[in-house]
Amino acid sequence: RTIGDRIGEAKASGNLGNTLKILGQFDEAVVCCQRHLDISQEQGDKVGEARALYNIGNVYHAKGKHLSWSTAQDPGCLPQEVKDTLQKASEYYERNLSLVKELGDRAAQGRAYGNLGNTQYLLGNFSEAITFHKERLAIAKEFGDKAAERRAYSNLGNAHIFLGRFDISAEYYKKTLQLSRQLKDQAVEAQACYSLGNTCTLLQDYEKAIEYHLRHLVIAQELGDR
């Protein structure tokens, strides 16, 4: 501010906003991220503007998750305050998405689609969540980003469960399991086995369910995860 560097001020405000978000000071975080957005727009800095929109989305998303943990509800069965907060997150992600499309930034589009999928899932809009996660999956494959691909499969599996499409869920969870093994991520592998066990129970394939739950148990013991 002293040297009149507006872009520098914008970036600093954005960083401050992200830090406050991590500290759980969501309302103060929004003020800082909004300053980042305002200055970026005033300076015609499209990249900064896109980043600020994404960051504000993240703050509302984190706040919504934080509020929903205290209620421990299923996705879609949320108090109005939580719904409104997640709706705001979704709106900022949408604005970010249209701007990064304009900028031709595919990686940023992937991130926006993933977050839109997650907010729509929490809001109980499972079909919309699936549409976004499929877009996320396509971009992850484009970049050869195995970790993002794995997350997308997992999210697609979760959303299909709530639509009662257990067989489709099982297919997505199997892909999650394959990738977690490729990535040598045992905690995620255990999680995938747990999801598959539950899905096989819903499909009344109890033999398979037992197999997956035993595998989950073995990994949990290996990791010393009480």
Side-chain angles (χ1 to χ4, degrees):
R1 277 182 181 159
T2 308
I3 61 171
D5 175 359
R6 293 293 276 165
I7 298 280
E9 186 186 338
K11 282 182 183 167
S13 298
N15 289 336
L16 194 53
N18 291 340
T19 310
L20 288 163
K21 177 197 79 180
I22 294 164
L23 291 169
Q25 295 173 28
F26 303 115
D27 298 337
E28 294 93 324
V30 169
V31 173
C32 293
C33 292
Q34 186 63 49
R35 191 180 307 128
H36 183 193
L37 179 62
D38 294 341
I39 299 172
S40 300
Q41 285 173 333
E42 164 209 303
Q43 296 292 315
D45 174 8
K46 291 282 189 194
V47 174
E49 185 182 342
R51 200 162 289 154
L53 288 167
Y54 182 76
N55 288 342
I56 298 174
N58 278 345
V59 174
Y60 282 120
H61 194 172
K63 184 182 179 181
K65 280 200 286 197
H66 178 77
L67 291 170
S68 68
W69 285 332
S70 53
T71 61
Q73 299 282 344
D74 270 342
C77 314
L78 299 167
Q80 196 54 48
E81 185 193 1
V82 181
K83 278 187 185 164
D84 293 344
T85 305
L86 291 168
Q87 200 50 58
K88 272 187 185 156
S90 206
E91 283 159 21
Y92 279 102
Y93 287 142
E94 289 272 14
R95 285 173 62 188
N96 164 261
L97 180 61
S98 68
L99 193 47
V100 294
K101 277 182 176 171
E102 205 181 294
L103 294 166
D105 185 341
R106 286 294 279 167
Q109 286 169 45
R111 288 191 291 274
Y113 280 126
N115 282 319
L116 277 163
N118 291 335
T119 47
Q120 290 305 312
Y121 172 81
L122 290 171
L123 285 164
N125 303 330
F126 303 114
S127 298
E128 289 89 334
I130 287 165
T131 304
F132 288 128
H133 284 309
K134 280 182 173 168
E135 292 284 356
R136 176 68 193 111
L137 179 62
I139 295 174
K141 284 179 172 174
E142 223 173 90
F143 280 88
D145 183 343
K146 293 288 181 192
E149 191 182 331
R150 200 274 309 152
R151 287 194 300 274
Y153 283 133
S154 183
N155 289 328
L156 283 162
N158 294 343
H160 278 94
I161 288 282
F162 281 95
L163 293 175
R165 298 180 192 147
F166 307 135
D167 47 342
I168 300 175
S169 283
E171 291 312 309
Y172 281 125
Y173 288 142
K174 280 175 192 163
K175 290 189 162 121
T176 306
L177 183 58
Q178 270 171 346
L179 278 172
S180 65
R181 284 176 179 159
Q182 270 181 42
L183 293 162
K184 297 188 169 40
D185 187 334
Q186 276 203 299
V188 172
E189 184 183 340
Q191 229 172 358
C193 289
Y194 176 78
S195 298
L196 274 163
N198 289 338
T199 310
C200 288
T201 300
L202 291 167
L203 288 165
Q204 299 183 339
D205 184 350
Y206 303 117
E207 292 300 321
K208 268 268 173 268
I210 289 167
E211 257 176 62
Y212 285 123
H213 283 310
L214 281 171
R215 178 76 192 126
H216 176 221
L217 178 62
V218 169
I219 299 173
Q221 287 169 336
E222 278 172 20
L223 295 174
D225 182 343
R226 303 288 287 173

